[in-house]
Amino acid sequence: MDRDISLDAIKLVACIFVCTLHTIGMFMSESSDFHLSYLLFYMSGIAVPLFFMVNGFLLAPKDGGMKYYYRKIFNIVKIVCVFTFIFDIPKLVRGDISILIPFKQACSSLFFQGGVFPVFWFLGSLIFIYALMPFLKKYIISIRTRLYGLLLFLSVLQFIIYTCDIYTNYVYSFIFENVYIPQSFRLYSHLMYFLLGVCLRLYLTDNNMLKNVIGGKAVLCYIIYILCAALICYLLYRNVGAIEYFQNSIICVLASLSFFLSLRSIVFSGYIGRTIVNLSSCSILVYTIHYPILSLLYMKTDLFVHTDFSFFAWAGLLLLWFFISYWVYQIPYISSFLRI
């Protein structure tokens, strides 16, 4: 079966969007004024939904049993522990920390958005989803009506929690999820997007009406999403960095779905196709290394001074991360080790 390069394109875009959220987010912390580069931030808010949808789309036809999903969970834990140990090697050599500290930091990164690599919360959420997959495969995914019912239930739950976020922030000046629910445990949102990808693969792939009505309006949905995200995050959340909680909105669901379907409709081939595949294969390493580099630059330099042209710094950093990751992937066994 030929490789579906459109999925690589979606993964690549999602990776770029995640890096954008973190980079522009750090610029934002240095300025309370609105800048043009904020638009980069808002347009990138569908990054996490796209990642979960791609995972669901790819895993939908898989039927390797419990061992298959346990192996995927083991691969995630292995990657997180190894990167955490690498980062802590100098402290371990000096004797500043015990051998147990990297394990604690890895656990914190996976499930509580802490430690050295807080971006690994995404992998922590995947662990929960993979652990649920044998049950979902047997009792939910195999029966279309049950899958649709669970999607509807999760969507309603998303809406309720989204309403709580806005209400508590508007009345009490805090975001409900940010206080009570760690990112890895927001399964009502992440599982919904994952199952949406499953649903697209198994039942809606050949639905021309869905492609024409939603996918065909991708640009319009995307523009509406950006405007709504800007309005709600800037006026109601009082914290522009709260874009991740906008993922619960129906606007984000429609924008993610339309964006996914529109990229799926594009045929990538030749040099462009090969480039997308090569860059997409680096996405997990880019996702891993970009945040520690950002944090180091933020502490050691004055790079993050927000202007209307901050996107130039964003573009340079993005090129740096992909350049480093591409050459690291040329080292033997690296690509196989980083495969989840």
Side-chain angles (χ1 to χ4, degrees):
M1 182 178 178
D2 294 334
R3 187 184 185 100
D4 191 339
I5 300 179
S6 68
L7 292 177
D8 287 290
I10 297 171
K11 284 170 54 183
L12 178 59
V13 170
C15 181
I16 293 173
F17 280 176
V18 166
C19 294
T20 302
L21 288 173
H22 293 148
T23 308
I24 301 298
M26 287 192 173
F27 281 118
M28 285 177 171
S29 65
E30 295 301 309
S31 173
S32 59
D33 299 324
F34 189 91
H35 294 281
L36 291 176
S37 53
Y38 279 19
L39 295 177
L40 279 172
F41 184 83
Y42 297 127
M43 70 179 285
S44 303
I46 61 173
V48 171
L50 289 178
F51 265 130
F52 281 109
M53 288 174 70
V54 169
N55 273 275
F57 195 92
L58 289 172
L59 280 182
K62 303 288 186 182
D63 193 20
M66 296 183 66
K67 288 184 178 179
Y68 173 77
Y69 298 107
Y70 288 156
R71 186 167 67 249
K72 294 185 77 67
I73 291 173
F74 172 79
N75 288 340
I76 289 175
V77 174
K78 173 190 66 177
I79 290 172
V80 173
C81 287
V82 167
F83 273 108
T84 305
F85 263 93
I86 290 174
F87 191 90
D88 282 337
I89 281 177
K91 295 178 182 178
L92 288 168
V93 171
R94 292 195 304 265
D96 295 341
I97 59 175
S98 70
I99 195 69
L100 294 177
I101 295 299
F103 288 110
K104 293 180 179 179
Q105 289 183 339
C107 183
S108 177
S109 297
L110 276 172
F111 302 116
F112 300 103
Q113 207 171 2
V116 179
F117 297 95
V119 293
F120 280 155
W121 71 260
F122 167 77
L123 299 179
S125 196
L126 274 184
I127 286 177
F128 291 133
I129 293 175
Y130 289 159
L132 287 172
M133 277 303 287
F135 169 82
L136 293 173
K137 278 277 188 178
K138 184 174 182 180
Y139 297 106
I140 305 294
I141 294 175
S142 58
I143 302 174
R144 187 182 305 199
T145 54
R146 290 183 182 177
L147 177 57
Y148 291 167
L150 181 56
L151 276 171
L152 178 60
F153 170 77
L154 292 173
S155 299
V156 172
L157 186 57
Q158 273 188 302
F159 175 76
I160 293 172
I161 294 179
Y162 180 60
T163 304
C164 291
D165 284 342
I166 294 179
Y167 175 77
T168 54
N169 191 272
Y170 188 74
V171 176
Y172 303 108
S173 298
F174 73 89
I175 299 172
F176 173 79
E177 287 180 286
N178 190 40
V179 173
Y180 296 110
I181 310 175
Q183 287 283 4
S184 300
F185 292 85
R186 295 176 63 218
L187 286 178
Y188 43 86
S189 178
H190 305 151
L191 183 59
M192 194 284 297
Y193 284 109
F194 182 89
L195 292 177
L196 186 58
V198 171
C199 193
L200 287 173
R201 178 63 175 269
L202 295 182
Y203 302 121
L204 301 176
T205 301
D206 299 323
N207 191 321
N208 291 324
M209 185 183 73
L210 185 70
K211 292 180 180 179
N212 294 333
V213 174
I214 299 181
K217 304 294 189 298
V219 174
L220 178 60
C221 289
Y222 200 41
I223 292 174
I224 293 174
Y225 160 76
I226 293 171
L227 293 176
C228 289
L231 178 65
I232 292 179
C233 290
Y234 198 69
L235 296 180
L236 297 184
Y237 283 147
R238 305 171 190 172
N239 172 12
V240 197
I243 190 71
E244 61 265 33
Y245 303 111
F246 193 70
Q247 292 164 12
N248 290 342
S249 70
I250 186 61
I251 299 297
C252 186
V253 175
L254 292 176
S256 303
L257 182 58
S258 63
F259 197 90
F260 187 95
L261 291 173
S262 63
L263 278 185
R264 284 277 299 148
S265 66
I266 300 175
V267 177
F268 299 97
S269 59
Y271 176 77
I272 293 177
R274 291 193 299 273
T275 302
I276 289 174
V277 171
N278 289 333
L279 292 178
S280 175
S281 65
C282 302
S283 60
I284 185 63
L285 188 56
V286 173
Y287 182 83
T288 300
I289 69 171
H290 84 278
Y291 196 82
I293 294 176
L294 268 179
S295 300
L296 183 64
L297 290 174
Y298 186 81
M299 290 186 296
K300 302 295 184 180
T301 72
D302 57 356
L303 175 67
F304 297 93
V305 178
H306 209 323
T307 70
D308 283 333
F309 302 100
S310 297
F311 53 82
F312 286 123
W314 159 80
L317 289 170
L318 203 59
L319 289 172
L320 173 65
W321 294 321
F322 275 99
F323 178 81
I324 293 173
S325 299
Y326 177 79
W327 287 108
V328 169
Y329 261 81
Q330 307 311 306
I331 301 174
Y333 306 113
I334 290 294
S335 60
S336 59
F337 172 78
L338 292 175
R339 187 176 294 115
I340 295 177

